[in-house]
């Protein structure tokens, strides 16, 4: 249910920027010969030309609509260019669109707080930028106003027949006697026009925008004049805008609440809500929702622009309608593997690029039973703590599916684990990763973070009966297709049934889900259930590289410890690698040391970083051959194995020069120097092994330690 938030300020300048026919523009940039032609992006399946998911404005002039299939579009516009959405793992691959969206976000975020609302939509809070402009270079003093700004549509501006519209806009922007709020909006007009031009210049994409005092009004305005235009909502025009606006067009009113307002209260437009006192609405819909309804009727909305450039969750899904329903466990497992592989890739790049980790894995499905008296029964959504690594995600997702299936058809119904049909069908499957949190910066918080992650990991052996069930399904009952974004139907299921996924992910996910709604399922054979070790390895390598980087964040704690070390040799705290090991398998998998070992067993040069007890600075290291994991025997020695190629050179670059020189001297024979003979210290029996002391390991691990006093040569690394 929507919740009213007090309007933080009635003088904010908020913009909602929405890309025009986004997927088409991305494809046009790839194939410039398409520019200016009627074009549509279609789902990959060929049945009746595939479903249209994005339609260019040139094609719209011919009457081509997103609800059509390619064949139908050809009928109304024979010259239409149909471009198939990129495909990976038998489903739409939206990565190209996602990164194109990120390009836009990075430009828009230059002028104010930016919230990425979907794959192609962004909210901006431009209040500070507008206030600054007003103070330093107010619009009323401007002699020349940019053409793009002059093309703005200002709601309520009286453009009588024959009057020069641009001249009217110029006057509105230049008004000396305008109130403060309108002056701020005038600044917003200039800033947004400039940003949109910048987006065009840098990305070749056009976008449209709404500019208002809150998010709700800005969003309503952005779609009013498309493509490549901007619309402004001065406060004096709010009533006019809302009075005739159908209630179901409002965000959060596309679903059950909107239906109830229509059927129970006779409210068809937002303006109709004005007749009800706040108490009446509260009585009917509860305090919060009642107040929220009362507010939106007056154009009041306190929702803040969140300052989030990244998605709140990741999801991957696919539908299997009609005859394409999955009817055997291996078939489900095959598709789950594909979905999990995609999810895992996205999680790893999020971890790699944004230093964020997801905590919850959820499986959603829609299903039917062929002999079912209780046909309304839903397949329960299941969640568990998320473990990183493709194989682990696949394993957990499959276990979640089995738990859901057990609940859905009853324990005895699940006995058929093979390829035999057991009287049920799965019509949609999706996996999502949510509760994404940044890995906190700062030593203590990182330590705390990993302490906090000691949740027992979900195991395939563990009973799933206690697994948290989430009551939501990804698709609304009876809805297979993600149709018009602004249609009440789409809004309704987005808002009402997928609270955990943000709009971007909902759009991405629904796009994937809608993709296979017609046509024919590909044959699924058990042989397709191939392993994913390659991806797993890749993910693990990424994680290991990341661990190396994260260790740098422990440097201050290290310094502190190092100071203490002299006094108290016995209380040395382990490094972050120890932390990762201690808190495995969650979230990095069952055994980091095993994974490190795996990496170390690769061919290529190996940097084996041995350490005696952490506090034994100055004690000469003895080489350890044939071992790359903890020596359990004496419990004193431990060897850390790194692949030299995986040492992040940026970590090296951050070190003080003298330390860089030291380390390079040790590592150079293998990595940087063509000639091994110049190794400065020690000897090596195995040219690929470099044994370093604890001190050196810490340098590599923790990064910049400006006051590090390297021990004398007896403590230095030896190549043996
Ligand atoms: P929208 O912003 O809804 O539409 P659009 O950008 O294509 O066109 P407009 O100019 O009218 O805003 O969606 C953004 C992209 O999301 C769209 O280009 C394709 C994708 N999408 C789907 O894949 N399936 C869908 O059902 C919808 C609505 C969008």
């Amino acid at each position: 249910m929507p919740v009213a938030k007090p309007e933080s300020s009635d003088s904010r300048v908020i913009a909602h920027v929405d890309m025009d026919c986004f997927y088409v523009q991305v494809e046009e940039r790839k194939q410039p010969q398409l520019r200016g032609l009627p074009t549509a992006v279609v789902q990959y399946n060929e049945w009746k030309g595939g479903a249209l998911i994005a339609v260019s404005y040139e094609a719209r002039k011919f009457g081509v609509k997103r609800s059509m299939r390619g064949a139908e579009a050809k009928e109304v516009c024979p010259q239409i260019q149909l471009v198939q959405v990129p495909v990976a793992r038998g489903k739409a691959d939206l990565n190209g669109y996602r990164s194109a969206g990120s390009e836009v976000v990075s430009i828009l975020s230059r002028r104010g707080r930016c919230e990425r609302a979907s794959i192609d939509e962004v909210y901006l809070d431009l209040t500070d930028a507008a206030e600054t402009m007003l103070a330093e270079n107010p619009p009323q003093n401007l002699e020349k106003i940019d053409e793009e700004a002059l093309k703005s549509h200002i709601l309520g501006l009286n453009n009588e027949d024959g009057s020069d519209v641009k001249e009217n806009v110029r006057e509105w922007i230049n008004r000396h006697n305008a109130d403060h709020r309108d002056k701020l909006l005038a600044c917003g007009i200039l800033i947004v026009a400039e940003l949109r031009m910048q987006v065009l210049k840098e990305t070749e994409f056009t976008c449209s925008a709404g500019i208002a005092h809150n998010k709700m009004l800005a969003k309503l305005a952005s779609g009013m004049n498309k493509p490549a235009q901007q619309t402004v909502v001065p406060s004096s025009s709010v009533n006019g805008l809302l009075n005739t606006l159908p209630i179901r067009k409002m965000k959060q009113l596309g679903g059950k609440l909107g239906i109830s307002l229509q059927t129970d209260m006779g409210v068809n437009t937002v303006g109709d809500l004005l007749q009800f006192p706040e108490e009446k609405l509260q009585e009917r819909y509860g305090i919060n929702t009642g107040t929220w309804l009362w507010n939106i009727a007056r154009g009041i909305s306190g929702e803040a622009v969140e300052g989030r450039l990244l998605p709140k969750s990741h999801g991957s899904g696919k539908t299997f309608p009609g005859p394409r329903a999955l009817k055997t466990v291996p078939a489900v497992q095959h598709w789950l593997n594909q979905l999990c592989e995609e999810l895992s890739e996205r999680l790893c790049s999020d971890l790699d690029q944004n230093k964020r980790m997801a905590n919850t894995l959820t499986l959603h499905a829609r299903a039917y039973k062929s002999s079912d008296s209780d046909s309304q029964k839903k397949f329960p959504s299941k969640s568990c703590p998320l473990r990183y690594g493709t194989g682990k995600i696949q394993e957990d997702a499959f276990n979640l599916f089995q738990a859901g299936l057990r609940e859905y058809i009853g324990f005895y119904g699940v006995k058929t684990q093979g390829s035999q049909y057991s009287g049920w069908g799965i019509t949609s499957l999706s996996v999502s990763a949510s509760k994404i949190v940044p890995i906190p910066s700062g030593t203590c918080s990182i330590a705390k973070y990993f302490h906090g992650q000691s949740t027992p990991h979900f195991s395939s052996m563990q009973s799933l009966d206690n697994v948290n069930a989430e009551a939501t399904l990804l698709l609304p009952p009876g809805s297979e297709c993600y149709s018009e974004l602004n249609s009440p139907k789409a809004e309704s299921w987005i808002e009402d049934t997928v609270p955990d996924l943000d709009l971007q992910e909902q759009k991405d996910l629904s796009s994937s889900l809608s993709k296979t709604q017609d046509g024919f399922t590909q044959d699924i054979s058990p042989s397709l259930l191939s392993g994913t070790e390659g991806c797993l390895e890749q993910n693990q390598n990424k994680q290991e590289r990341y661990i190396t980087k994260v260790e740098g964040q422990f440097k201050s704690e290290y310094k502190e410890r190092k100071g203490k070390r002299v006094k108290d040799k016995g209380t040395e705290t382990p490094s972050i690698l120890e932390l990762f090991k201690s808190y495995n398998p969650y979230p990095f998998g069952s055994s980091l040391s095993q994974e490190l070992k795996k990496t170390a067993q690769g061919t290529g040069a190996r940097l084996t970083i041995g350490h005696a007890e952490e506090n034994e600075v100055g004690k000469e290291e003895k080489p350890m051959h044939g071992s790359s994991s903890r020596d359990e025997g004496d419990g004193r020695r431990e060897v850390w194995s790194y692949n030299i190629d995986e040492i992040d050179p940026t970590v090296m670059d951050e070190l003080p020069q003298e330390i860089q020189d030291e380390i390079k001297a040790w590592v150079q024979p293998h990595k940087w120097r063509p000639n091994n003979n110049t190794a400065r210290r020690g000897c090596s029996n195995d040219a690929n092994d470099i044994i370093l002391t604890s001190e050196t390991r810490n340098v590599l691990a923790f990064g910049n330690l400006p006051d590090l006093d390297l021990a004398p040569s007896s403590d230095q690394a030896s190549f043996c």
Side-chain angles (χ1 to χ4, degrees):
M1 280 290 181
V3 173
K5 293 184 183 144
E7 186 137 27
S8 43
S9 153
D10 61 356
S11 299
R12 290 181 297 159
V13 178
I14 308 293
H16 177 257
V17 179
D18 186 18
M19 306 309 293
D20 303 315
C21 57
F22 187 48
Y23 288 12
V24 171
Q25 287 205 75
V26 175
E27 297 304 329
E28 282 175 346
R29 189 170 68 170
K30 281 198 266 178
Q31 303 178 56
Q33 72 275 15
L34 294 173
R35 285 193 195 284
L37 301 178
T39 304
V41 175
V42 293
Q43 299 286 21
Y44 78 97
N45 93 58
E46 299 279 304
W47 189 66
K48 289 195 178 174
L52 269 54
I53 52 173
V55 180
S56 75
Y57 281 84
E58 289 84 353
R60 293 183 202 195
K61 284 184 198 148
F62 290 88
V64 178
K65 295 196 166 58
R66 186 154 41 200
S67 54
M68 294 177 173
R69 301 198 70 85
E72 214 177 334
K74 283 253 181 218
E75 276 171 29
V76 296
C77 177
Q79 67 274 41
I80 193 165
Q81 309 291 311
L82 299 176
V83 184
Q84 200 182 60
V85 75
V87 176
R89 301 184 188 91
K91 60 190 286 301
D93 176 8
L94 306 181
N95 283 331
Y97 305 130
R98 274 190 206 103
S99 50
S102 302
E103 288 175 46
V104 174
V105 170
S106 73
I107 297 163
L108 294 176
S109 60
R110 290 173 194 162
R111 296 299 295 272
R113 192 161 63 246
C114 180
E115 175 183 328
R116 193 172 181 177
S118 84
I119 200 163
D120 75 331
E121 281 174 281
V122 165
Y123 287 102
L124 297 172
D125 187 333
L126 299 170
T127 312
D128 289 347
E131 289 282 10
T132 306
M133 183 184 277
L134 201 53
E136 292 172 2
N137 195 14
Q140 63 261 34
N141 295 349
L142 292 179
E143 278 173 19
K144 186 168 173 3
I145 292 177
D146 190 81
E147 267 300 293
E148 194 56 38
L150 293 178
K151 287 196 276 170
S152 301
H153 300 261
I154 301 174
L155 295 187
L157 189 62
N158 198 1
N159 288 322
E160 288 153 7
D161 281 351
S163 69
D164 183 337
V165 178
K166 281 190 189 168
E167 201 42 49
N168 293 345
V169 172
R170 184 196 309 278
E171 272 171 27
W172 196 92
I173 293 173
N174 280 151
R175 280 178 314 159
H176 283 270
N177 58 351
D179 67 17
H180 185 67
R181 300 182 77 194
D182 277 0
K183 282 183 179 171
L184 282 177
L185 282 188
C187 296
I189 290 175
L190 300 175
I191 296 166
V192 173
E194 200 183 305
L195 280 172
R196 288 180 38 245
M197 287 305 97
Q198 203 56 35
V199 168
L200 182 62
K201 192 172 150 203
E202 292 184 36
T203 67
E204 302 176 24
F205 299 144
T206 67
C207 56
S208 300
I211 304 154
H213 292 301
N214 63 48
K215 281 169 85 175
M216 176 184 81
L217 296 170
K219 161 102 180 162
L220 282 174
S222 66
M224 293 178 83
N225 294 287
K226 273 189 148 243
Q229 295 170 77
Q230 57 186 48
T231 305
V232 189
V233 191
S235 34
S236 55
S237 309
V238 172
N239 284 348
L241 169 66
L242 296 178
N243 270 347
T244 52
L245 188 77
I247 196 91
R248 306 282 302 278
K249 289 262 181 204
M250 284 300 273
K251 198 180 164 199
Q252 308 207 59
L253 291 180
K256 286 180 206 156
L257 182 55
I259 293 172
S260 165
L261 282 167
Q262 280 182 303
T263 52
D264 304 336
M265 312 283 282
V267 170
N268 290 312
T269 67
V270 178
D272 291 344
L273 274 173
L274 287 170
Q275 60 187 293
F276 298 102
E278 189 174 359
E279 297 73 33
K280 172 92 181 151
L281 293 168
Q282 287 178 334
E283 220 170 82
R284 181 70 185 75
Y285 295 105
I287 304 266
N288 270 323
T289 304
T291 299
W292 179 79
L293 287 168
W294 191 88
N295 281 343
I296 61 153
R298 288 153 185 83
I300 300 169
S301 165
E303 209 186 325
V305 173
E306 269 179 34
R308 172 169 52 78
L309 306 184
L310 301 167
K312 272 201 250 177
S313 59
H314 298 292
S316 176
K318 185 172 170 76
T319 55
F320 309 92
R324 309 172 69 192
L326 307 178
K327 294 171 184 152
T328 65
V329 170
V332 170
Q333 192 172 20
H334 162 73
W335 282 110
L336 267 185
N337 283 348
Q338 309 300 310
L339 301 177
C340 291
E341 203 175 294
E342 188 195 348
L343 183 66
S344 180
E345 262 177 26
R346 288 174 60 196
L347 285 169
C348 282
S349 68
D350 202 352
L351 177 68
D352 204 32
Q353 290 163 18
N354 311 314
K355 317 288 171 268
R356 302 194 313 160
M357 294 187 73
N359 284 282
T360 304
L361 175 71
T362 303
L363 175 123
H364 310 269
R366 291 187 71 204
Y368 67 82
K369 286 182 255 184
S370 41
S371 55
D372 193 14
S373 50
D374 180 17
S375 60
Q376 296 307 307
K377 189 171 176 183
K378 288 178 178 175
F379 192 100
S381 294
K382 296 280 182 189
S383 299
C384 69
L386 192 146
R387 297 189 297 150
Y388 275 66
T390 307
K392 295 180 182 82
I393 295 174
Q394 288 171 331
E395 181 188 336
D396 292 347
F398 184 57
N399 286 328
L400 292 174
F401 170 76
Q402 287 188 306
L405 187 62
R406 204 153 47 222
E407 206 172 301
Y408 181 65
I409 61 176
F411 183 77
Y412 295 104
V414 195
K415 62 182 181 291
T416 308
Q417 294 288 310
S419 53
Q420 199 184 324
Y421 173 52
S422 4
W424 47 264
I426 298 294
T427 54
S428 89
L429 260 187
S430 73
V431 283
S432 63
S434 56
K435 307 218 167 35
I436 303 182
V437 290
I439 298 202
S441 58
T443 308
C444 296
S445 51
I446 290 178
K448 260 193 228 142
Y449 175 80
F450 285 103
H451 278 285
Q453 299 303 308
S454 57
T455 319
H457 89 276
F458 173 83
S459 143
S460 55
M461 302 300 289
Q462 189 183 328
S463 160
L464 277 157
D465 291 342
N466 295 329
V467 169
N468 172 33
E470 290 195 356
T472 57
L473 280 176
L474 277 171
L475 290 174
S479 164
E480 290 282 359
C481 177
Y482 181 74
S483 54
E484 291 287 324
L485 176 66
N486 291 323
S487 77
K489 198 173 181 183
E491 285 273 324
S492 123
W493 78 261
I494 285 173
E495 299 302 335
D496 298 343
T497 66
V498 200
D500 225 6
L501 299 181
D502 72 1
L503 197 59
Q504 175 187 348
E505 294 310 318
Q506 291 152 14
K507 207 187 272 188
D508 293 0
L509 192 53
S510 55
S511 163
S512 310
L513 290 172
S514 66
K515 170 167 69 56
T516 57
Q517 59 186 329
D518 304 296
F520 304 98
T521 316
Q522 294 167 5
D523 285 341
I524 297 158
S525 78
S527 65
L528 285 172
L529 307 178
S530 55
T532 51
E533 283 311 305
C535 182
L536 176 59
E537 285 290 324
Q538 200 189 355
N539 293 342
Q540 285 168 346
N541 288 344
K542 277 187 186 170
Q543 287 167 12
E544 286 155 18
R545 275 200 296 280
Y546 178 63
I547 290 164
T548 310
K549 282 187 192 169
V550 169
E551 283 183 312
Q553 298 177 46
F554 268 64
K555 61 192 177 196
S556 56
E557 189 177 350
Y558 167 76
K559 279 159 67 179
E560 211 180 296
R561 281 194 216 133
K562 190 168 167 285
K564 273 173 67 185
R565 189 184 290 155
V566 181
K567 291 183 212 147
D568 182 7
K569 289 189 170 190
T571 56
E572 181 66 24
T573 315
S575 74
I576 189 171
L577 278 174
E578 291 276 22
L579 275 169
F580 273 91
K581 290 167 84 176
S582 314
Y583 296 104
N584 265 319
Y586 185 84
F588 275 110
S590 56
S591 166
L592 177 70
S593 61
Q594 276 173 13
E595 289 170 9
L596 286 171
K597 196 165 156 187
K598 226 185 217 172
T599 311
Q601 282 162 356
T603 48
R606 245 181 336 142
L607 171 58
T608 304
I609 302 172
H611 91 118
E613 288 189 352
E614 294 258 336
N615 50 13
E616 292 183 12
V617 178
K619 197 166 175 178
E620 190 170 346
E621 281 293 317
K622 293 232 169 42
M624 294 188 61
H625 293 291
S627 167
S628 58
S629 60
R630 194 177 188 90
D631 183 337
E632 305 289 354
D634 64 17
R636 284 189 316 114
R637 294 178 63 84
E638 189 169 6
V639 175
W640 301 83
S641 296
Y642 287 81
N643 187 324
I644 288 180
D645 291 322
E646 288 184 17
I647 294 176
D648 187 343
T650 58
V651 171
M652 292 286 293
D653 293 342
E654 284 165 20
L655 297 171
Q657 194 54 48
E658 69 273 21
I659 297 175
Q660 283 191 34
D661 294 342
E662 288 283 351
I663 295 165
K664 278 181 186 162
W666 295 324
V667 180
Q668 262 168 346
H670 306 275
K671 190 174 166 93
W672 286 286
R673 273 189 203 165
N675 183 354
N676 275 6
N677 297 336
T678 47
R680 273 179 40 193
R681 293 182 173 94
C683 58
S684 177
N685 294 334
D686 174 351
N688 287 336
D689 280 345
I690 306 168
I691 310 297
L692 300 182
T693 61
S694 58
E695 205 56 82
T696 315
R697 174 178 64 76
N698 286 329
V699 171
L700 280 174
F702 298 132
N704 190 8
L705 295 171
D707 62 348
L708 186 84
D709 54 327
L710 282 171
S713 58
S714 64
D715 181 44
Q716 303 302 334
S718 54
F719 298 106
C720 295

